[in-house]
Amino acid sequence: MTHTLYYKLLLGYLLFGFLGFVTIATFSSDMTYRHLLREEAEALYDEAVLIADNCSMAYEGKHVDLDSSYPQMDAVAVYLKADIWILDSRGRIIADTRRQRVGAVIEDFDPVTQGNRLYTLGRYFGQFKEDVLSVSAPITGNMNTYGYVVIHLPVSVVRAKQNDFLNIVYITSLILFGLSLIILLVFTTAVYLPLKKITYAANEYAAGNLSHHIEISSRDEIGYLAHTLNYMSDKLNEMEEYQKKFIANVSHDFRSPLTSIKGYLEAILDGTIPPELYQKYLGIIITETKRLTKLTQGMLTLDSLGSSGYLSRSKFDINRIIKDTAAAFEGACNAKGVTFDLTFSDTSQMVHADLGKIQQVLYNLIDNAIKFSLNDSVIYIQTSVRYEKVFVSIKDTGIGIPKDSINKIWERFYKTDLSRGKDKKGTGLGLSIVKEIIQSHGENIDVVSTEGVGTEFIFSLPKAGAA
Protein backbone atom coordinates (compact mmCIF):
# COMPACT_ATOMS: atom_id res chain seq x y z
CA MET A 1 0.00 0.00 0.00
CA THR A 2 1.39 3.37 -0.99
CA HIS A 3 1.90 5.81 1.87
CA THR A 4 1.15 9.23 0.46
CA LEU A 5 2.80 12.41 1.61
CA TYR A 6 -0.49 13.60 3.08
CA TYR A 7 -0.92 10.56 5.32
CA LYS A 8 2.69 10.81 6.41
CA LEU A 9 2.12 14.43 7.32
CA LEU A 10 -1.13 13.58 9.12
CA LEU A 11 0.59 10.80 11.06
CA GLY A 12 3.45 13.14 11.95
CA TYR A 13 0.95 15.80 13.03
CA LEU A 14 -0.93 13.40 15.30
CA LEU A 15 2.34 12.02 16.68
CA PHE A 16 3.50 15.57 17.38
CA GLY A 17 0.23 16.33 19.17
CA PHE A 18 0.45 13.14 21.26
CA LEU A 19 4.11 13.64 22.20
CA GLY A 20 3.44 17.31 22.92
CA PHE A 21 0.57 16.40 25.23
CA VAL A 22 2.64 13.74 27.03
CA THR A 23 5.52 16.19 27.42
CA ILE A 24 3.23 18.89 28.81
CA ALA A 25 1.58 16.39 31.16
CA THR A 26 4.92 15.08 32.43
CA PHE A 27 6.86 18.28 32.89
CA SER A 28 3.89 20.44 33.86
CA SER A 29 2.79 17.93 36.48
CA ASP A 30 6.20 17.75 38.13
CA MET A 31 6.88 21.48 37.90
CA THR A 32 3.40 22.36 39.15
CA TYR A 33 3.69 19.97 42.10
CA ARG A 34 7.06 21.37 43.16
CA HIS A 35 5.83 24.93 42.77
CA LEU A 36 2.69 24.30 44.83
CA LEU A 37 4.68 22.52 47.55
CA ARG A 38 7.05 25.45 47.83
CA GLU A 39 4.20 27.98 47.75
CA GLU A 40 2.15 26.13 50.38
CA ALA A 41 5.20 25.62 52.56
CA GLU A 42 6.01 29.32 52.52
CA ALA A 43 2.41 30.23 53.40
CA LEU A 44 2.32 27.64 56.21
CA TYR A 45 5.66 28.79 57.57
CA ASP A 46 4.50 32.41 57.70
CA GLU A 47 1.44 31.36 59.69
CA ALA A 48 3.55 29.15 61.95
CA VAL A 49 5.88 32.06 62.72
CA LEU A 50 2.94 34.31 63.62
CA ILE A 51 1.47 31.67 65.94
CA ALA A 52 4.89 31.01 67.45
CA ASP A 53 5.30 34.73 68.21
CA ASN A 54 1.95 34.79 69.99
CA CYS A 55 2.75 31.62 71.91
CA SER A 56 6.13 32.90 73.10
CA MET A 57 4.35 35.50 75.24
CA ALA A 58 2.35 32.76 77.01
CA TYR A 59 5.41 31.15 78.48
CA GLU A 60 6.37 32.24 81.99
CA GLY A 61 9.03 29.94 83.32
CA LYS A 62 7.67 26.43 82.77
CA HIS A 63 4.02 27.37 83.08
CA VAL A 64 2.17 27.44 79.77
CA ASP A 65 -1.29 28.92 79.20
CA LEU A 66 -2.26 28.49 75.55
CA ASP A 67 -6.05 28.74 75.83
CA SER A 68 -5.86 32.24 74.38
CA SER A 69 -4.12 30.92 71.23
CA TYR A 70 -6.83 28.41 70.26
CA PRO A 71 -9.19 30.83 68.50
CA GLN A 72 -6.42 32.06 66.23
CA MET A 73 -5.15 28.55 65.60
CA ASP A 74 -8.62 27.20 64.82
CA ALA A 75 -9.28 30.00 62.35
CA VAL A 76 -5.96 29.46 60.61
CA ALA A 77 -6.45 25.68 60.55
CA VAL A 78 -9.83 25.99 58.87
CA TYR A 79 -8.54 28.50 56.36
CA LEU A 80 -5.47 26.42 55.49
CA LYS A 81 -7.29 23.06 55.73
CA ALA A 82 -4.45 21.95 57.99
CA ASP A 83 -3.74 20.62 61.47
CA ILE A 84 -1.82 22.84 63.88
CA TRP A 85 0.12 21.45 66.79
CA ILE A 86 2.09 23.07 69.58
CA LEU A 87 4.89 20.85 70.91
CA ASP A 88 7.22 21.33 73.83
CA SER A 89 10.91 20.75 73.42
CA ARG A 90 10.55 17.03 74.29
CA GLY A 91 7.91 16.30 71.69
CA ARG A 92 4.79 16.32 73.83
CA ILE A 93 1.72 17.75 72.10
CA ILE A 94 0.49 20.65 74.20
CA ALA A 95 -2.18 21.91 71.78
CA ASP A 96 -3.98 20.38 68.80
CA THR A 97 -6.64 22.08 66.69
CA ARG A 98 -8.46 18.73 66.42
CA ARG A 99 -8.18 18.17 70.25
CA GLN A 100 -7.33 14.52 69.56
CA ARG A 101 -3.64 14.24 70.44
CA VAL A 102 -3.25 16.70 73.35
CA GLY A 103 -0.83 15.19 75.90
CA ALA A 104 0.53 12.57 73.52
CA VAL A 105 4.27 12.26 73.23
CA ILE A 106 5.91 11.79 69.85
CA GLU A 107 8.48 9.06 70.09
CA ASP A 108 11.87 9.69 68.56
CA PHE A 109 10.96 13.36 68.19
CA ASP A 110 13.95 15.28 66.89
CA PRO A 111 13.41 18.80 65.59
CA VAL A 112 16.89 18.79 64.08
CA THR A 113 15.85 16.29 61.37
CA GLN A 114 14.28 19.12 59.34
CA GLY A 115 17.66 20.84 59.10
CA ASN A 116 17.73 23.85 56.82
CA ARG A 117 14.72 22.68 54.83
CA LEU A 118 11.59 24.76 54.87
CA TYR A 119 9.34 21.73 55.02
CA THR A 120 9.28 17.95 55.26
CA LEU A 121 7.16 15.39 53.44
CA GLY A 122 6.06 12.16 55.04
CA ARG A 123 3.97 10.93 57.97
CA TYR A 124 5.75 12.99 60.60
CA PHE A 125 7.23 10.35 62.83
CA GLY A 126 4.37 7.96 62.06
CA GLN A 127 1.63 10.24 63.37
CA PHE A 128 -0.46 10.19 60.15
CA LYS A 129 -1.80 7.51 57.84
CA GLU A 130 -1.09 9.57 54.74
CA ASP A 131 1.68 11.85 53.61
CA VAL A 132 1.55 15.39 54.94
CA LEU A 133 3.46 18.59 54.29
CA SER A 134 4.87 19.64 57.68
CA VAL A 135 6.26 23.06 58.54
CA SER A 136 7.56 24.03 62.01
CA ALA A 137 8.55 27.30 63.67
CA PRO A 138 10.32 27.47 67.10
CA ILE A 139 8.71 29.18 70.09
CA THR A 140 11.49 31.19 71.68
CA GLY A 141 11.85 33.59 74.55
CA ASN A 142 14.59 34.79 76.88
CA MET A 143 17.21 33.10 74.66
CA ASN A 144 15.47 29.73 75.12
CA THR A 145 13.43 27.44 72.85
CA TYR A 146 10.26 26.42 74.67
CA GLY A 147 8.67 24.42 71.92
CA TYR A 148 7.48 24.38 68.36
CA VAL A 149 4.46 25.31 66.27
CA VAL A 150 3.95 22.57 63.66
CA ILE A 151 1.42 22.86 60.82
CA HIS A 152 0.49 19.71 58.88
CA LEU A 153 -1.16 20.01 55.44
CA PRO A 154 -2.30 16.77 53.75
CA VAL A 155 -0.46 16.23 50.46
CA SER A 156 -3.85 15.35 48.96
CA VAL A 157 -4.80 19.03 49.30
CA VAL A 158 -1.71 19.97 47.27
CA ARG A 159 -2.54 17.27 44.73
CA ALA A 160 -6.07 18.62 44.39
CA LYS A 161 -4.75 22.10 43.64
CA GLN A 162 -2.25 20.57 41.23
CA ASN A 163 -5.02 18.75 39.38
CA ASP A 164 -7.09 21.93 39.12
CA PHE A 165 -4.15 23.76 37.63
CA LEU A 166 -3.26 20.89 35.27
CA ASN A 167 -6.85 20.68 34.07
CA ILE A 168 -6.54 24.27 32.91
CA VAL A 169 -3.25 23.44 31.16
CA TYR A 170 -4.69 20.31 29.51
CA ILE A 171 -7.84 22.05 28.33
CA THR A 172 -5.80 24.96 26.94
CA SER A 173 -3.47 22.52 25.17
CA LEU A 174 -6.39 20.66 23.64
CA ILE A 175 -7.94 23.92 22.47
CA LEU A 176 -4.64 24.97 20.88
CA PHE A 177 -4.29 21.55 19.28
CA GLY A 178 -7.82 21.86 17.93
CA LEU A 179 -7.09 25.33 16.57
CA SER A 180 -3.92 24.02 14.97
CA LEU A 181 -6.12 21.72 12.89
CA ILE A 182 -6.86 24.86 10.88
CA ILE A 183 -3.26 24.66 9.65
CA LEU A 184 -3.87 21.09 8.52
CA LEU A 185 -7.07 22.19 6.81
CA VAL A 186 -5.26 25.02 5.03
CA PHE A 187 -2.49 22.63 3.98
CA THR A 188 -5.07 20.16 2.68
CA THR A 189 -6.87 22.82 0.68
CA ALA A 190 -3.89 24.84 -0.53
CA VAL A 191 -1.26 22.13 -1.02
CA TYR A 192 -2.45 18.53 -0.83
CA LEU A 193 -5.54 18.71 -3.05
CA PRO A 194 -3.76 20.79 -5.75
CA LEU A 195 -0.80 18.38 -5.65
CA LYS A 196 -3.23 15.49 -6.03
CA LYS A 197 -4.68 17.18 -9.12
CA ILE A 198 -1.18 17.74 -10.50
CA THR A 199 -0.23 14.09 -9.84
CA TYR A 200 -3.39 12.92 -11.61
CA ALA A 201 -2.61 15.23 -14.54
CA ALA A 202 0.96 13.89 -14.74
CA ASN A 203 -0.41 10.34 -14.99
CA GLU A 204 -2.81 11.49 -17.70
CA TYR A 205 0.06 13.06 -19.63
CA ALA A 206 2.10 9.88 -19.23
CA ALA A 207 -0.86 7.90 -20.61
CA GLY A 208 -0.96 10.18 -23.65
CA ASN A 209 -3.92 12.37 -22.70
CA LEU A 210 -2.25 15.72 -23.40
CA SER A 211 -5.57 17.54 -23.60
CA HIS A 212 -6.13 17.21 -19.83
CA HIS A 213 -6.23 20.60 -18.10
CA ILE A 214 -5.37 21.23 -14.44
CA GLU A 215 -8.06 23.35 -12.79
CA ILE A 216 -5.94 25.35 -10.30
CA SER A 217 -6.15 29.14 -10.21
CA SER A 218 -4.17 30.02 -7.06
CA ARG A 219 -1.47 32.68 -7.43
CA ASP A 220 1.32 30.87 -5.62
CA GLU A 221 4.00 28.31 -6.42
CA ILE A 222 1.39 25.53 -6.78
CA GLY A 223 -0.65 27.66 -9.17
CA TYR A 224 2.48 28.54 -11.14
CA LEU A 225 3.41 24.84 -11.37
CA ALA A 226 -0.09 23.98 -12.59
CA HIS A 227 0.02 26.79 -15.15
CA THR A 228 3.44 25.58 -16.33
CA LEU A 229 2.21 22.01 -16.70
CA ASN A 230 -0.86 23.20 -18.60
CA TYR A 231 1.40 25.21 -20.89
CA MET A 232 3.67 22.19 -21.32
CA SER A 233 0.76 19.89 -22.17
CA ASP A 234 -0.55 22.41 -24.71
CA LYS A 235 2.86 22.65 -26.36
CA LEU A 236 3.30 18.87 -26.33
CA ASN A 237 -0.14 18.52 -27.84
CA GLU A 238 0.78 21.02 -30.53
CA MET A 239 4.04 19.17 -31.10
CA GLU A 240 2.20 15.88 -31.40
CA GLU A 241 -0.15 17.40 -33.96
CA TYR A 242 2.85 18.88 -35.75
CA GLN A 243 4.58 15.50 -35.77
CA LYS A 244 1.53 13.86 -37.30
CA LYS A 245 1.36 16.59 -39.92
CA PHE A 246 5.12 16.39 -40.45
CA ILE A 247 5.02 12.63 -41.01
CA ALA A 248 2.05 13.00 -43.34
CA ASN A 249 3.88 15.67 -45.37
CA VAL A 250 7.11 13.65 -45.48
CA SER A 251 5.21 10.55 -46.55
CA HIS A 252 3.41 12.51 -49.26
CA ASP A 253 6.54 14.23 -50.59
CA PHE A 254 8.51 10.98 -50.63
CA ARG A 255 5.69 8.84 -52.00
CA SER A 256 5.11 10.97 -55.13
CA PRO A 257 8.65 10.75 -56.61
CA LEU A 258 9.11 7.15 -55.44
CA THR A 259 5.86 6.16 -57.17
CA SER A 260 7.02 7.84 -60.38
CA ILE A 261 10.46 6.19 -60.24
CA LYS A 262 8.97 2.76 -59.51
CA GLY A 263 6.34 3.09 -62.22
CA TYR A 264 8.75 4.17 -64.95
CA LEU A 265 11.33 1.53 -64.05
CA GLU A 266 8.69 -1.24 -64.10
CA ALA A 267 7.42 0.05 -67.45
CA ILE A 268 10.97 -0.05 -68.85
CA LEU A 269 11.56 -3.58 -67.51
CA ASP A 270 8.30 -5.08 -68.80
CA GLY A 271 8.66 -3.39 -72.22
CA THR A 272 5.73 -1.01 -71.88
CA ILE A 273 8.09 1.86 -72.70
CA PRO A 274 9.92 1.24 -76.00
CA PRO A 275 13.74 1.64 -76.13
CA GLU A 276 13.55 4.83 -78.16
CA LEU A 277 11.79 6.56 -75.20
CA TYR A 278 14.23 5.32 -72.55
CA GLN A 279 16.21 8.57 -72.54
CA LYS A 280 13.08 10.65 -71.95
CA TYR A 281 11.82 8.61 -69.02
CA LEU A 282 15.27 8.05 -67.52
CA GLY A 283 15.60 11.83 -67.48
CA ILE A 284 12.33 12.02 -65.54
CA ILE A 285 13.65 9.37 -63.11
CA ILE A 286 16.85 11.37 -62.59
CA THR A 287 14.81 14.54 -61.95
CA GLU A 288 12.69 12.74 -59.36
CA THR A 289 15.87 11.29 -57.79
CA LYS A 290 17.34 14.80 -57.51
CA ARG A 291 14.12 15.92 -55.86
CA LEU A 292 14.44 13.11 -53.29
CA THR A 293 18.09 14.03 -52.72
CA LYS A 294 17.19 17.70 -52.21
CA LEU A 295 14.42 16.74 -49.79
CA THR A 296 16.75 14.47 -47.81
CA GLN A 297 19.52 17.10 -47.68
CA GLY A 298 17.03 19.72 -46.45
CA MET A 299 15.87 17.46 -43.66
CA LEU A 300 19.45 16.67 -42.66
CA THR A 301 20.27 20.39 -42.64
CA LEU A 302 17.35 21.16 -40.32
CA ASP A 303 18.31 18.27 -38.05
CA SER A 304 21.92 19.43 -37.81
CA LEU A 305 20.84 23.00 -37.05
CA GLY A 306 18.43 21.83 -34.35
CA SER A 307 20.77 19.35 -32.65
CA SER A 308 24.20 20.99 -32.62
CA GLY A 309 23.68 24.55 -33.75
CA TYR A 310 27.43 24.75 -34.48
CA LEU A 311 28.48 27.75 -36.55
CA SER A 312 31.81 28.33 -38.22
CA ARG A 313 31.88 32.13 -37.99
CA SER A 314 34.22 34.31 -39.98
CA LYS A 315 34.40 37.86 -41.33
CA PHE A 316 33.31 38.36 -44.93
CA ASP A 317 31.82 40.95 -47.26
CA ILE A 318 28.07 40.32 -47.46
CA ASN A 319 27.79 42.54 -50.56
CA ARG A 320 30.23 40.30 -52.44
CA ILE A 321 28.34 37.14 -51.37
CA ILE A 322 25.04 38.65 -52.56
CA LYS A 323 26.55 39.47 -55.96
CA ASP A 324 28.04 35.98 -56.36
CA THR A 325 24.81 34.25 -55.31
CA ALA A 326 22.70 36.39 -57.65
CA ALA A 327 25.07 35.63 -60.52
CA ALA A 328 24.48 31.90 -60.01
CA PHE A 329 20.84 32.39 -61.04
CA GLU A 330 21.64 33.91 -64.42
CA GLY A 331 20.06 31.04 -66.36
CA ALA A 332 16.82 31.03 -64.34
CA CYS A 333 16.59 34.84 -64.62
CA ASN A 334 17.09 34.82 -68.37
CA ALA A 335 14.37 32.19 -68.80
CA LYS A 336 11.78 34.46 -67.10
CA GLY A 337 13.23 37.83 -68.03
CA VAL A 338 13.88 38.64 -64.35
CA THR A 339 16.54 41.20 -63.43
CA PHE A 340 18.20 42.15 -60.14
CA ASP A 341 18.40 45.65 -58.63
CA LEU A 342 21.24 45.63 -56.09
CA THR A 343 21.49 48.59 -53.71
CA PHE A 344 24.25 48.60 -51.07
CA SER A 345 24.80 51.19 -48.32
CA ASP A 346 28.55 50.87 -48.80
CA THR A 347 30.97 49.38 -51.32
CA SER A 348 32.06 46.75 -48.81
CA GLN A 349 30.06 45.63 -45.79
CA MET A 350 31.79 43.18 -43.46
CA VAL A 351 29.72 40.85 -41.24
CA HIS A 352 30.64 38.15 -38.74
CA ALA A 353 28.70 34.96 -39.50
CA ASP A 354 28.88 31.46 -40.98
CA LEU A 355 29.70 32.06 -44.65
CA GLY A 356 28.36 28.73 -45.97
CA LYS A 357 25.07 28.94 -44.11
CA ILE A 358 24.46 32.58 -45.09
CA GLN A 359 25.07 31.61 -48.71
CA GLN A 360 22.37 28.95 -48.27
CA VAL A 361 20.00 31.58 -46.82
CA LEU A 362 20.58 33.91 -49.77
CA TYR A 363 20.24 31.04 -52.26
CA ASN A 364 16.89 29.90 -50.82
CA LEU A 365 15.44 33.43 -50.62
CA ILE A 366 16.58 34.43 -54.13
CA ASP A 367 15.38 31.09 -55.54
CA ASN A 368 11.94 31.71 -54.00
CA ALA A 369 11.89 35.27 -55.29
CA ILE A 370 12.61 34.13 -58.85
CA LYS A 371 10.19 31.22 -58.62
CA PHE A 372 7.25 33.40 -57.57
CA SER A 373 8.08 36.51 -59.62
CA LEU A 374 6.19 37.42 -62.73
CA ASN A 375 7.90 37.36 -66.11
CA ASP A 376 9.97 40.44 -66.95
CA SER A 377 9.92 41.69 -63.34
CA VAL A 378 12.60 43.06 -61.01
CA ILE A 379 13.96 41.61 -57.73
CA TYR A 380 15.33 44.24 -55.35
CA ILE A 381 18.17 43.32 -53.02
CA GLN A 382 19.43 45.89 -50.52
CA THR A 383 21.81 46.08 -47.57
CA SER A 384 21.79 48.76 -44.86
CA VAL A 385 23.43 49.34 -41.47
CA ARG A 386 21.54 50.25 -38.30
CA TYR A 387 22.66 49.93 -34.67
CA GLU A 388 25.74 47.82 -35.36
CA LYS A 389 23.73 45.36 -37.47
CA VAL A 390 23.59 44.77 -41.19
CA PHE A 391 20.08 44.33 -42.62
CA VAL A 392 19.59 42.43 -45.89
CA SER A 393 16.33 42.85 -47.85
CA ILE A 394 15.20 40.65 -50.76
CA LYS A 395 12.00 41.91 -52.38
CA ASP A 396 10.10 40.53 -55.37
CA THR A 397 7.06 41.78 -57.27
CA GLY A 398 5.37 38.41 -57.59
CA ILE A 399 2.19 36.70 -56.44
CA GLY A 400 2.63 37.49 -52.73
CA ILE A 401 1.53 35.42 -49.72
CA PRO A 402 -2.06 35.26 -48.38
CA LYS A 403 -2.55 36.76 -44.91
CA ASP A 404 -3.63 33.46 -43.36
CA SER A 405 -0.42 31.80 -44.59
CA ILE A 406 2.23 34.35 -43.51
CA ASN A 407 2.67 32.80 -40.04
CA LYS A 408 2.79 29.28 -41.47
CA ILE A 409 5.43 29.69 -44.20
CA TRP A 410 8.20 28.86 -41.68
CA GLU A 411 6.72 25.43 -40.96
CA ARG A 412 8.41 22.44 -42.49
CA PHE A 413 6.81 21.16 -45.73
CA TYR A 414 4.27 23.99 -45.74
CA LYS A 415 3.24 25.30 -49.15
CA THR A 416 0.56 27.90 -49.81
CA ASP A 417 -2.21 27.07 -52.23
CA LEU A 418 -0.93 29.80 -54.59
CA SER A 419 2.57 28.32 -54.64
CA ARG A 420 1.64 24.74 -55.37
CA GLY A 421 1.09 25.39 -59.03
CA LYS A 422 4.43 27.20 -59.45
CA ASP A 423 6.60 25.22 -57.02
CA LYS A 424 6.34 21.71 -58.40
CA LYS A 425 9.94 20.83 -57.48
CA GLY A 426 10.00 22.51 -54.07
CA THR A 427 10.21 20.58 -50.81
CA GLY A 428 8.63 23.11 -48.46
CA LEU A 429 11.80 23.12 -46.35
CA GLY A 430 13.58 26.18 -47.77
CA LEU A 431 12.13 28.84 -45.48
CA SER A 432 12.36 26.53 -42.43
CA ILE A 433 16.09 26.16 -43.12
CA VAL A 434 16.44 29.93 -43.59
CA LYS A 435 14.79 30.70 -40.24
CA GLU A 436 16.80 28.05 -38.39
CA ILE A 437 20.07 29.44 -39.75
CA ILE A 438 19.25 33.07 -38.93
CA GLN A 439 18.06 32.19 -35.42
CA SER A 440 21.17 30.08 -34.81
CA HIS A 441 23.12 33.32 -35.38
CA GLY A 442 21.01 34.99 -32.68
CA GLU A 443 19.35 37.22 -35.30
CA ASN A 444 15.82 37.68 -36.71
CA ILE A 445 14.09 37.40 -40.06
CA ASP A 446 10.80 39.08 -40.96
CA VAL A 447 8.48 38.95 -43.94
CA VAL A 448 6.21 41.62 -45.42
CA SER A 449 3.87 40.48 -48.16
CA THR A 450 0.78 41.63 -50.03
CA GLU A 451 -1.09 39.18 -52.17
CA GLY A 452 -0.76 40.08 -55.86
CA VAL A 453 1.89 42.76 -55.12
CA GLY A 454 4.98 40.99 -53.87
CA THR A 455 6.96 39.76 -50.88
CA GLU A 456 9.94 41.15 -48.98
CA PHE A 457 12.19 39.16 -46.61
CA ILE A 458 14.44 41.13 -44.26
CA PHE A 459 17.05 39.51 -41.98
CA SER A 460 19.86 40.90 -39.83
CA LEU A 461 23.48 39.90 -39.30
CA PRO A 462 26.03 41.12 -36.77
CA LYS A 463 28.42 43.73 -38.11
CA ALA A 464 32.03 42.55 -38.04
CA GLY A 465 33.17 45.40 -35.78
CA ALA A 466 30.27 44.79 -33.34
CA ALA A 467 31.07 41.08 -33.10
Side-chain angles (χ1 to χ4, degrees):
M1 181 178 180
T2 303
H3 298 285
T4 64
L5 178 64
Y6 180 73
Y7 292 119
K8 290 179 181 178
L9 180 66
L10 182 61
L11 179 61
Y13 179 79
L14 295 176
L15 183 62
F16 171 77
F18 174 75
L19 292 178
F21 187 80
V22 170
T23 302
I24 291 174
T26 302
F27 287 96
S28 295
S29 177
D30 184 64
M31 292 172 63
T32 303
Y33 181 66
R34 292 178 182 276
H35 173 73
L36 290 175
L37 280 177
R38 186 168 59 254
E39 191 177 62
E40 292 292 340
E42 290 175 354
L44 294 177
Y45 182 75
D46 291 340
E47 294 295 336
V49 170
L50 291 175
I51 296 172
D53 289 341
N54 291 333
C55 290
S56 64
M57 295 184 296
Y59 279 87
E60 295 178 358
K62 294 184 179 180
H63 175 73
V64 180
D65 182 10
L66 298 176
D67 292 339
S68 62
S69 300
Y70 267 109
Q72 179 190 7
M73 291 170 53
D74 290 339
V76 173
V78 172
Y79 175 74
L80 297 177
K81 299 178 182 179
D83 294 340
I84 303 176
W85 295 352
I86 296 179
L87 308 177
D88 62 14
S89 59
R90 292 171 297 181
R92 187 167 65 90
I93 301 175
I94 299 173
D96 175 12
T97 53
R98 290 182 180 270
R99 277 77 168 180
Q100 296 176 352
R101 292 183 173 83
V102 177
V105 177
I106 300 174
E107 297 180 1
D108 301 326
F109 174 72
D110 186 5
V112 182
T113 56
Q114 182 173 333
N116 294 326
R117 290 176 297 170
L118 183 64
Y119 62 89
T120 60
L121 287 175
R123 300 193 177 183
Y124 200 74
F125 301 103
Q127 298 300 309
F128 295 92
K129 294 181 180 180
E130 62 177 348
D131 289 342
V132 294
L133 169 66
S134 300
V135 175
S136 64
I139 302 174
T140 60
N142 299 323
M143 305 298 292
N144 293 318
T145 300
Y146 299 109
Y148 302 91
V149 175
V150 183
I151 302 178
H152 305 289
L153 179 68
V155 173
S156 59
V157 175
V158 180
R159 291 290 186 186
K161 291 183 178 181
Q162 177 195 17
N163 291 334
D164 292 340
F165 181 80
L166 289 177
N167 287 337
I168 297 174
V169 174
Y170 296 155
I171 293 172
T172 304
S173 300
L174 290 175
I175 292 174
L176 290 177
F177 183 75
L179 291 175
S180 66
L181 290 175
I182 297 175
I183 300 175
L184 185 63
L185 179 62
V186 171
F187 173 82
T188 302
T189 305
V191 179
Y192 172 67
L193 293 179
L195 281 179
K196 194 172 181 180
K197 290 182 181 179
I198 291 173
T199 303
Y200 178 79
N203 291 330
E204 288 293 309
Y205 298 153
N209 182 16
L210 297 176
S211 61
H212 180 78
H213 188 79
I214 305 173
E215 299 294 338
I216 297 176
S217 59
S218 59
R219 296 184 179 181
D220 53 14
E221 288 78 0
I222 298 293
Y224 179 76
L225 176 60
H227 176 74
T228 303
L229 290 176
N230 286 332
Y231 179 77
M232 179 198 72
S233 65
D234 292 340
K235 289 301 179 183
L236 288 175
N237 201 19
E238 290 178 7
M239 186 176 294
E240 186 177 20
E241 294 297 325
Y242 172 77
Q243 278 186 332
K244 292 178 181 178
K245 186 177 180 181
F246 177 83
I247 292 173
N249 288 333
V250 170
S251 300
H252 177 271
D253 284 356
F254 270 89
R255 183 170 60 248
S256 180
L258 285 174
T259 301
S260 297
I261 293 171
K262 180 175 179 292
Y264 290 135
L265 289 176
E266 288 177 347
I268 290 175
L269 289 175
D270 62 19
T272 303
I273 297 177
E276 59 271 17
L277 297 178
Y278 281 0
Q279 185 173 1
K280 173 185 175 182
Y281 288 101
L282 286 176
I284 295 174
I285 291 173
I286 291 174
T287 301
E288 293 297 319
T289 303
K290 288 180 179 179
R291 182 181 171 191
L292 283 174
T293 301
K294 185 178 180 181
L295 182 64
T296 304
Q297 287 176 343
M299 293 177 64
L300 291 175
T301 300
L302 284 173
D303 183 66
S304 65
L305 287 172
S307 60
S308 63
Y310 175 75
L311 297 175
S312 178
R313 294 177 184 264
S314 62
K315 296 180 181 180
F316 58 89
D317 182 7
I318 187 64
N319 294 345
R320 171 51 56 189
I321 299 303
I322 291 173
K323 292 177 182 178
D324 293 342
T325 306
F329 287 93
E330 182 179 356
C333 290
N334 291 336
K336 296 185 67 174
V338 174
T339 59
F340 289 108
D341 184 334
L342 306 181
T343 304
F344 302 138
S345 60
D346 203 345
T347 304
S348 175
Q349 188 59 66
M350 303 299 292
V351 297
H352 186 256
D354 188 314
L355 174 58
K357 288 184 170 56
I358 297 304
Q359 282 181 320
Q360 189 173 5
V361 168
L362 292 170
Y363 182 90
N364 288 348
L365 293 178
I366 294 175
D367 182 50
N368 273 355
I370 295 173
K371 195 178 300 179
F372 300 113
S373 289
L374 302 176
N375 292 335
D376 302 321
S377 60
V378 179
I379 296 175
Y380 300 92
I381 303 178
Q382 298 178 347
T383 61
S384 59
V385 179
R386 293 194 302 273
Y387 306 110
E388 301 300 324
K389 290 185 180 293
V390 177
F391 290 85
V392 180
S393 167
I394 299 175
K395 180 179 180 181
D396 63 60
T397 53
I399 62 176
I401 304 171
K403 283 185 177 181
D404 58 352
S405 299
I406 288 181
N407 293 329
K408 300 178 182 179
I409 60 173
W410 310 109
E411 296 178 7
R412 301 179 184 185
F413 298 105
Y414 180 79
K415 294 182 181 181
T416 65
D417 293 335
L418 293 176
S419 70
R420 292 188 181 276
K422 296 179 176 290
D423 189 17
K424 298 184 181 296
K425 296 182 180 180
T427 62
L429 293 175
L431 292 179
S432 297
I433 293 174
V434 166
K435 188 172 184 179
E436 291 282 352
I437 291 175
I438 297 300
Q439 287 185 339
S440 67
H441 282 78
E443 301 296 332
N444 296 310
I445 181 169
D446 296 315
V447 59
V448 179
S449 182
T450 302
E451 194 172 351
V453 177
T455 303
E456 179 181 13
F457 288 92
I458 305 170
F459 64 90
S460 61
L461 291 174
K463 192 177 177 181

